[in-house]
Amino acid sequence: MTNTDKNKARLNLYIKFLKERLFFDPDSATLHYNLGLAYSQKDLLDEAISELKQSIECDPALSRPT
């Protein structure tokens, strides 16, 4: 297995983990945000945007610049 394949497998496992955690904590802005970033790394942009929007709905402070 190449490094690229290993990284893809790890990313898929991470996405699975985040989705499982969201089942138990659906209002977690952090989990939605991290899932959005993970989806963006897989070029699943519609899913990424959806999760990032959900993170802002859970915590509107995320949309404010620091």
Side-chain angles (χ1 to χ4, degrees):
M1 187 179 262
T2 67
N3 278 341
T4 301
D5 291 337
K6 287 179 185 177
N7 288 339
K8 286 180 183 179
R10 285 185 191 125
L11 183 56
N12 288 335
L13 188 60
Y14 184 55
I15 288 171
K16 180 181 176 190
F17 167 77
L18 290 170
K19 290 169 76 174
E20 288 173 355
R21 291 287 313 271
L22 277 167
F23 179 79
F24 295 104
D25 192 6
D27 295 326
S28 171
T30 302
L31 291 173
H32 283 290
Y33 180 80
N34 289 337
L35 184 55
L37 293 180
Y39 279 146
S40 72
Q41 288 181 346
K42 286 190 70 165
D43 288 328
L44 298 172
L45 300 183
D46 289 339
E47 291 86 344
I49 291 168
S50 176
E51 290 300 328
L52 293 171
K53 284 182 179 179
Q54 185 65 34
S55 73
I56 292 170
E57 287 179 20
C58 292
D59 184 0
L62 289 175
S63 66
R64 292 186 209 123
T66 56

